[in-house]
């Protein structure tokens, strides 16, 4: 235990330096050039192999060898938010690591260093995914398309939690992040003089009814025991006070736990569009799509992660459910896995300009990632 504590406190110091660099150099999804170069340099210095995946930004590294393969994943992109945290290492480039992805990158680098030290003992290979573009929910798809994960048997990842105390691990089985989708609605009416509405077909009146009717999907047509969201986030119609426009436009998002429930809500919204179409004599184009399925944790592996955390002396608790999305879900469609939270006690929630992840949790995050990878290899290879 003492040896581990010393090892981790040395690692912690190094990680804080890396964390501050990543925090002050945020880049948006698919533009993480400097971030990728910096990760590459740190891994190369530690002697870690970087795989040739063809990814433009982000990378996949590999430690160990053999046919038993597990993966650890972090995301590396930032958000278009001007930082107001007041930190001495705050970003000045108009973008911000306001979702803790700088913390994720750094903890993965720490895990890489710990695994590199234990490389000769590993019962297989660990692939470390530094994934681009999580915020735009399409980075995971590009990593999967590279084929780098075709031989991976289990996958693990983490996300900072603003609410949990520093270093506490929150993890739960089943769906923990929502299925996320978006929709667009375009109403084609008939424009004309606002003084003669009977000669027009007003798309604004129709859209108003449609939006009100859509509020009943969650309140009247979905079980109170199934969390769900239908939010309109953007509407547009007309440009002045005395002309009824030809068209009205709306878009928004649907969230639910599980693709089946998500699809049921999307169908209800489409039916409402059909109803309004008939009732108001309009033509309505409706388009809805699932952007990311739910993050769905494997129950058995959740117990394994908890057990591993306890062995290291870390505290765990139930993970909180969120209607937010996470493209880690795409990996779990193919590979068994667990996505957990680690407390960073931020004064403000993620995606806020004053979000701050407490770097004191870094070495805990690294130690758990490394131990989970090492022990899952051992288990899969039949050694434990
Ligand atoms: Ni995030």
């Amino acid at each position: 235990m003492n040896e581990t504590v010393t090892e981790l406190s040395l690692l912690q110091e190094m990680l804080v330096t890396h964390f501050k660099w990543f925090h002050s150099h945020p880049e948006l999804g698919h533009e993480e050039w400097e971030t990728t170069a910096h990760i590459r340099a740190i891994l190369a210095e530690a002697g870690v192999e970087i795989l040739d995946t063809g990814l433009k930004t982000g990378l996949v590294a590999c430690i160990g060898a053999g046919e038993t393969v597990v993966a650890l994943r972090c995301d590396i992109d930032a958000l278009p938010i001007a930082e107001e945290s007041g930190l001495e290492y705050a970003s000045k480039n108009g973008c911000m690591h306001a979702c803790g992805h700088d913390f994720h990158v750094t903890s993965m680098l720490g895990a890489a260093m710990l695994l590199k030290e234990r490389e000769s003992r590993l019962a297989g290979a660990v692939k470390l995914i530094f994934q681009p573009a999580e915020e735009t929910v399409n980075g995971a798809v590009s990593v999967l398309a590279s084929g780098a994960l075709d031989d991976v048997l289990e996958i693990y990842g983490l996300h900072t939690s603003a609410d949990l105390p520093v270093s506490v691990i929150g993890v739960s089985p089943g769906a923990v992040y929502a299925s996320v989708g978006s929709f667009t609605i375009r109403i084609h009416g008939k424009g004309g003089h606002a003084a003669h509405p009977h000669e027009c077909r007003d798309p604004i009146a129709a859209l108003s009814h449609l939006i009100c009717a859509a509020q009943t999907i969650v309140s009247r047509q979905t079980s109170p025991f199934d969390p769900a969201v239908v939010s309109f986030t953007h509407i547009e119609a007309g440009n002045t006070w005395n002309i009824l426009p030809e068209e009205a436009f709306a878009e928004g998002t649907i969230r639910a736990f599980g693709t089946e429930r998500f699809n049921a809500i999307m169908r209800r919204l489409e039916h409402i569009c059909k109803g309004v179409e008939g009732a108001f004599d309009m033509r309505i184009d409706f388009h809805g799509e699932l952007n990311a399925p739910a993050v769905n944790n494997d129950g058995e592996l959740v117990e394994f992660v908890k057990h591993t955390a306890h062995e290291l002396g870390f505290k765990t608790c139930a993970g909180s459910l969120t209607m937010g999305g996470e493209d880690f879900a795409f990996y779990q469609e193919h590979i068994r896995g667990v996505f957990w939270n680690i407390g960073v006690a931020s004064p403000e929630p993620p995606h806020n300009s004053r979000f701050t992840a407490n770097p004191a949790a870094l070495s805990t995050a690294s130690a758990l990632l490394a131990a989970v990878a090492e022990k899952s290899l051992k288990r899969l290879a039949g050694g434990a």
Side-chain angles (χ1 to χ4, degrees):
M1 187 68 191
N2 281 343
E3 197 188 322
T4 318
V5 171
T6 320
E7 195 185 23
L8 289 186
S9 66
L10 286 175
L11 182 70
Q12 173 68 24
E13 250 178 74
M14 191 196 324
L15 292 182
V16 170
T17 309
H18 291 323
F19 172 72
K20 289 181 177 173
W21 189 94
F22 287 112
H23 188 82
S24 54
H25 295 78
E27 293 172 296
L28 298 179
H30 294 306
E31 294 171 13
E32 309 97 329
W33 305 106
E34 265 194 272
T35 307
T36 304
H38 203 67
I39 295 167
R40 195 173 272 276
I42 293 167
L43 290 173
E45 201 183 316
V48 175
E49 180 195 3
I50 294 163
L51 301 179
D52 187 11
T53 54
L55 289 171
K56 288 196 190 104
T57 57
L59 59 88
V60 180
C62 188
I63 298 173
E67 279 177 18
T68 310
V69 184
V70 298
L72 300 175
R73 173 272 203 176
C74 71
D75 42 15
I76 69 171
D77 57 324
L79 289 157
I81 294 175
E83 181 159 355
E84 295 178 305
S85 67
L87 293 168
E88 39 104 6
Y89 54 93
S91 156
K92 294 179 183 70
N93 71 5
C95 298
M96 180 184 174
H97 272 297
C99 198
H101 299 189
D102 47 352
F103 182 98
H104 306 161
V105 171
T106 312
S107 54
M108 276 282 277
L109 289 168
M113 287 166 201
L114 293 172
L115 288 165
K116 189 66 192 168
E117 279 173 12
R118 305 170 196 171
E119 191 165 25
S120 60
R121 308 207 300 259
L122 296 178
V126 183
K127 288 189 173 171
L128 299 108
I129 307 158
F130 294 83
Q131 182 206 299
E134 188 280 325
E135 297 292 356
T136 46
V137 207
N138 52 17
V141 175
S142 61
V143 173
L144 282 164
S146 77
L149 303 190
D150 289 355
D151 55 358
V152 169
L153 301 169
E154 290 177 7
I155 185 161
Y156 299 93
L158 83 176
H159 203 291
T160 52
S161 164
D163 303 331
L164 289 178
V166 173
S167 293
V168 171
I169 311 295
V171 60
S172 289
V176 289
Y177 281 66
S179 300
V180 175
S182 53
F183 60 82
T184 60
I185 294 167
R186 193 170 290 279
I187 303 184
H188 306 272
K190 187 181 172 202
H193 202 298
H196 312 296
H198 57 292
E199 290 167 4
C200 309
R201 291 197 308 283
D202 179 6
I204 293 179
L207 179 59
S208 309
H209 280 268
L210 195 156
I211 292 172
C212 288
Q215 304 311 308
T216 64
I217 298 175
V218 174
S219 68
R220 307 287 84 185
Q221 300 174 58
T222 305
S223 162
F225 297 101
D226 289 340
V229 171
V230 176
S231 287
F232 283 79
T233 55
H234 175 198
I235 59 174
E236 247 179 83
N239 54 16
T240 188
W241 68 280
N242 60 356
I243 301 171
L244 285 170
E246 195 82 13
E247 283 185 9
F249 172 82
E251 65 181 332
T253 183
I254 291 176
R255 314 279 168 123
F257 285 109
T259 306
E260 214 174 294
R261 288 172 189 164
F262 172 90
N263 287 340
I265 291 171
M266 192 63 93
R267 273 198 304 276
R268 292 309 312 156
L269 184 58
E270 192 171 7
H271 284 159
I272 287 173
C273 288
K274 285 264 174 290
V276 170
E277 203 170 41
F280 290 80
D281 191 20
M282 306 272 156
R283 187 164 63 77
I284 300 184
D285 294 328
F286 175 81
H287 178 75
E289 64 185 322
L290 177 69
N291 304 127
V295 168
N296 204 340
N297 284 337
D298 183 290
E300 238 180 285
L301 296 185
V302 164
E303 289 308 310
F304 160 71
V305 169
K306 276 203 254 182
H307 184 74
T308 307
H310 295 157
E311 274 184 342
L312 291 166
F314 302 152
K315 279 200 193 104
T316 64
C317 66
S320 49
L321 301 184
T322 167
M323 299 314 285
E326 203 357 291
D327 72 358
F328 188 80
F330 286 109
Y331 301 116
Q332 289 177 317
E333 285 194 311
H334 307 277
I335 308 164
R336 289 175 84 195
V338 179
F339 194 69
W340 64 79
N341 295 124
I342 179 159
V344 292
S346 170
E348 296 294 341
H351 294 217
N352 178 289
S353 60
R354 292 185 183 84
F355 174 86
T356 51
N358 188 332
L362 280 167
S363 58
T364 302
S366 299
L368 184 58
L369 284 166
V372 162
E374 185 182 2
K375 284 170 61 87
S376 61
L377 285 178
K378 210 166 169 190
R379 172 168 43 73
L380 287 161

